[in-house]
Amino acid sequence: MAANPGLPPLPQIDGADPDRASVEYSRHRTKLSTHRTALSEQRTTLSRQRSEMSSRRTGMSFQRTRMGAERTLMGVIRTSLSLISFGFTIYQFFEHLAEKNVIGGGSNAARNFGMALVWLGVAMVAVGIAYHVQFMIGLRRERIAMKATDLVHAQSHFPYSFTLLVAVLLLLLGIAAIASLTFRVGPFS
């Protein structure tokens, strides 16, 4: 076993005098107890540092979770934008073909399909916004509760979502596209 540098050395005790040996052993026990106290204080200091690191890691996990929610909303935006733009293009393409009498018949299936894609894109971004707002409110509440119990410092800024702003603008754009296709009013008619 390796020698501990802070450990007091074992005293050389003469066993011929039991009273003196008892006093020497008692002094050695006191030195051992002092050493143990010093080790305990060092362990407490390390424990405080570990708690501080854990608190900071938990705070960072809130930021990672927030960024994950932002990425999810970005995925919803991409998909919705694809649906809206693809549906609008299909609708306009077949509308112009019908106006120029290139396609005949009274079937509006392709245009209805394009309109359905636009509706689907708008509904998807609306649900994505609602889910994102609900999730972020819950995350902020959890962070505030953990800050109140000193589990996290919550010193870093918890910014508002730029992605949410883009999603809201896309929702408005999709609604304008629907109004243009349905009522032939607005910027896209």
Side-chain angles (χ1 to χ4, degrees), residues 68-84:
E70 295 282 319
R71 283 191 298 272
T72 301
L73 186 58
M74 283 186 229
V76 169
I77 288 172
R78 277 192 302 270
T79 306
S80 298
L81 182 62
S82 298
L83 287 170
I84 292 169

Side-chain angles (χ1 to χ4, degrees), residues 70-179:
E70 295 282 319
R71 283 191 298 272
T72 301
L73 186 58
M74 283 186 229
V76 169
I77 288 172
R78 277 192 302 270
T79 306
S80 298
L81 182 62
S82 298
L83 287 170
I84 292 169
S85 60
F86 192 58
F88 188 80
T89 303
I90 288 175
Y91 184 91
Q92 290 293 325
F93 179 74
F94 284 102
E95 180 77 14
H96 289 300
L97 288 180
E99 285 175 3
K100 304 226 184 250
N101 294 326
V102 175
I103 56 173
S107 175
N108 294 324
R111 287 188 293 176
N112 291 343
F113 179 70
M115 179 72 93
L117 288 179
V118 173
W119 274 100
L120 184 61
V122 169
M124 186 173 179
V125 76
V127 170
I129 288 170
Y131 175 79
H132 182 78
V133 168
Q134 181 183 15
F135 182 80
M136 293 306 287
I137 287 172
L139 190 64
R140 284 179 189 267
R141 284 185 183 153
E142 183 69 26
R143 187 175 186 235
I144 290 169
M146 290 184 81
K147 182 182 179 184
T149 56
D150 286 335
L151 291 175
V152 294
H153 298 298
Q155 295 170 335
S156 60
H157 182 57
F158 213 65
Y160 291 104
S161 172
F162 180 70
T163 309
L164 180 61
L165 175 66
V166 172
V168 169
L169 292 176
L170 178 63
L171 178 64
L172 296 176
L173 189 69
I175 291 171
I178 287 174

Side-chain angles (χ1 to χ4, degrees), residues 32-88:
L32 287 176
S33 180
T34 303
H35 181 69
R36 191 174 53 227
T37 302
L39 288 176
S40 229
E41 288 172 355
Q42 185 181 5
R43 194 172 50 231
T44 301
T45 302
L46 290 174
S47 178
R48 283 190 189 125
Q49 290 173 351
R50 215 174 24 242
S51 296
E52 175 68 19
M53 288 177 59
S54 176
S55 177
R56 292 200 179 276
R57 273 197 305 260
T58 304
M60 295 295 285
S61 73
F62 272 101
Q63 295 293 344
R64 284 192 298 271
T65 304
R66 183 186 62 80
M67 288 189 280
E70 295 282 319
R71 283 191 298 272
T72 301
L73 186 58
M74 283 186 229
V76 169
I77 288 172
R78 277 192 302 270
T79 306
S80 298
L81 182 62
S82 298
L83 287 170
I84 292 169
S85 60
F86 192 58
F88 188 80

